């Protein structure tokens, strides 16, 4: 019996003396559809984190974008996510019409990134040239209750219309919308994304298109967080003139459950890896450190605040 007790004591002592392995941290990057802008930028961010944060394993998840991303963050099913500013505001306020059953109080902002341009593109043969021309036509407004779909509602309302005025409403992601347009089964698509989104580039190279203007007076009716911007000529094949439209700032958001140290590293690596993000997608070129700490309807994460104080952006 004594020998057994001694052996057990030796085993216990060896376990206590063994070095404790550092728990591996996990970062799930919540993005959007694979044909949008969030996904390639998310892949780049996941790669940067995996290479530069010690003991971290990363995963990049394709989602229905803004609204779903924010719900997943609140549920603890992601560590960093892309979202549109208007969706973020709605989540923080618990806007049920926008798809949020309750206020998502665990959300914390990492920083502002690039603006999403509201890009309404119609097939040339549809005859759609203005917002009013959408009446009676078929329009894809984005995945149900996605950030794009919320933008669609806002733009149509400002133009004095609703979904009831359309001939048919399709709730589809970007790539699926373009496929229907190529097959002459859909007249137009509204896509809220960075300039040069892959789906619209693909469409413009295979079909004759019209980029539909959203006039400044229409944008002004919506107000903040929408601003009036220009889609520069030749952004897409066959678009030979500047086109006015609306834009909404995107944000990277995390959760209050993420540690201050990890949030600090995630923030620092985004804004100190801007060349890599620009290489991943043209929208990355529009991310500016100077604007990172501004405008969010949700509080900044303490880890992000620490980084911005170091850079002199917050006193």
């Amino acid at each position: 019996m004594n020998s057994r007790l001694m052996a057990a004591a030796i085993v216990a002592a060896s376990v206590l003396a063994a070095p404790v392995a550092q728990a591996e941290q996990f970062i799930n990057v919540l993005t959007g559809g694979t044909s949008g802008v969030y996904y390639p930028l998310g892949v780049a961010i996941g790669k940067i984190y995996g290479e530069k944060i010690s003991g971290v394993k990363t995963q990049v998840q394709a989602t229905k974008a803004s609204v779903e991303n924010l719900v997943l963050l609140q549920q603890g099913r992601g560590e960093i996510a892309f979202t549109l500013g208007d969706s973020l505001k709605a989540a923080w306020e618990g806007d049920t019409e926008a798809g949020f059953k309750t206020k998502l109080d665990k959300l914390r902002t990492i920083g502002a990134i690039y603006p999403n341009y509201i890009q309404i593109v119609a097939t040339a043969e549809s005859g759609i040239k203005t917002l009013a021309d959408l009446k009676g036509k078929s329009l894809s407004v984005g995945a149900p209750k996605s950030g794009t779909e919320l933008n669609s509602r806002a733009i149509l309302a400002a133009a004095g219309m609703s979904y009831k005025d359309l001939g048919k409403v399709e709730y589809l992601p970007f790539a699926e919308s373009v496929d229907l347009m190529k097959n002459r089964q859909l007249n137009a698509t509204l896509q809220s994304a960075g300039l040069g989104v892959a789906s619209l580039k693909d469409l413009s190279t295979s079909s004759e298109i019209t980029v539909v203007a959203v006039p400044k007076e229409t944008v002004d009716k919506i107000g903040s967080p929408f601003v009036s911007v220009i889609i520069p000529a030749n952004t897409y094949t066959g678009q030979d003139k500047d086109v006015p439209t609306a834009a909404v700032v995107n944000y990277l958001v995390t959760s209050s459950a993420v540690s201050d140290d990890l949030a600090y590293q995630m923030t620092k690596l985004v804004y100190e890896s801007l060349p890599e993000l620009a290489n991943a997608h043209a929208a990355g070129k529009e991310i500016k450190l100077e604007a990172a700490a501004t405008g969010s309807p949700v509080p900044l994460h303490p880890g992000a605040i620490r980084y911005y104080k170091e850079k002199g952006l917050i006193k």
Side-chain angles (χ1 to χ4, degrees):
M1 179 65 70
N2 286 343
S3 62
R4 287 181 181 176
L5 287 172
M6 186 173 289
I10 291 170
V11 170
S14 66
V15 169
L16 290 172
V20 178
Q22 186 176 358
E24 186 176 59
Q25 294 186 94
F26 189 74
I27 297 177
N28 188 25
V29 184
L30 302 169
T31 60
T34 55
S35 61
V37 178
Y38 288 173
Y39 188 79
L41 287 180
V43 169
I45 288 172
K47 185 173 184 289
I48 290 163
Y49 288 170
E51 291 174 351
K52 298 187 178 180
I53 302 178
S54 179
V56 154
K57 182 178 180 181
T58 62
Q59 172 182 301
V60 178
Q61 182 176 341
T63 67
K64 293 177 182 176
S66 297
V67 176
E68 182 181 9
N69 289 351
L70 297 172
V71 171
L72 290 173
L73 277 181
Q74 179 75 12
Q75 295 172 345
R77 296 166 63 189
E79 283 65 45
I80 188 168
F82 290 79
T83 182
L84 278 164
D86 57 335
S87 298
L88 185 57
K89 182 174 185 288
W92 188 246
E93 295 173 350
D95 185 337
T96 54
E97 286 190 10
F100 303 105
K101 295 178 181 177
T102 58
K103 172 183 167 71
L104 304 191
D105 58 356
K106 294 180 182 177
L107 302 178
R108 297 293 182 271
T109 299
I110 289 292
I113 43 175
Y114 65 93
N116 250 33
Y117 288 69
I118 311 304
Q119 300 169 79
I120 304 173
V121 176
T123 59
E125 68 179 17
S126 71
I128 297 169
K129 295 181 180 179
T130 68
L131 289 175
D133 293 336
L134 290 169
K135 290 181 179 179
K137 304 289 186 176
S138 56
L139 174 70
S140 177
V141 296
K145 293 189 176 178
S146 62
T148 291
E149 203 254 311
L150 296 183
N151 288 173
S152 296
R153 293 190 210 178
I155 294 294
L156 289 173
M161 290 187 285
S162 71
Y163 289 169
K164 292 179 181 178
D165 294 301
L166 302 173
K168 187 178 183 182
V169 180
E170 296 282 4
Y171 297 88
L172 295 170
F174 296 173
E176 286 88 337
S177 302
V178 165
D179 286 343
L180 286 185
M181 291 176 76
K182 287 180 179 178
N183 293 326
R184 297 182 174 180
Q185 295 174 290
L186 180 69
N187 297 135
T189 178
L190 185 151
Q191 304 197 0
S192 180
L195 287 178
V197 63
S199 53
L200 296 180
K201 278 195 165 185
D202 173 36
L203 177 64
S204 70
T205 57
S206 60
S207 306
E208 191 177 347
I209 63 165
T210 300
V211 181
V212 180
V214 180
K216 185 179 185 301
E217 55 267 28
T218 302
V219 181
D220 291 344
K221 286 180 184 176
I222 310 172
S224 179
F226 289 79
V227 295
S228 189
V229 293
I230 295 292
I231 301 174
N234 302 312
T235 298
Y236 299 106
T237 303
Q239 179 217 338
D240 57 3
K241 295 178 181 178
D242 289 351
V243 178
T245 193
V248 185
V249 174
N250 285 284
Y251 291 88
L252 284 172
V253 187
T254 187
S255 158
S256 57
V258 170
S259 72
D260 291 2
D261 184 58
L262 183 57
Y264 168 81
Q265 292 184 78
M266 291 197 302
T267 308
K268 177 183 173 75
L269 285 170
V270 165
Y271 294 99
E272 296 188 359
S273 304
L274 295 183
E276 289 95 319
L277 299 185
N279 286 336
H281 194 281
K285 296 175 184 175
E286 299 186 58
I287 303 174
K288 310 294 181 187
L289 173 60
E290 310 85 72
T294 62
S296 176
V298 169
L300 289 164
H301 193 289
I305 291 173
R306 176 183 152 199
Y307 174 70
Y308 296 135
K309 283 184 174 179
E310 284 181 4
K311 304 302 290 185
L313 297 175
I314 295 178
K315 294 183 179 180

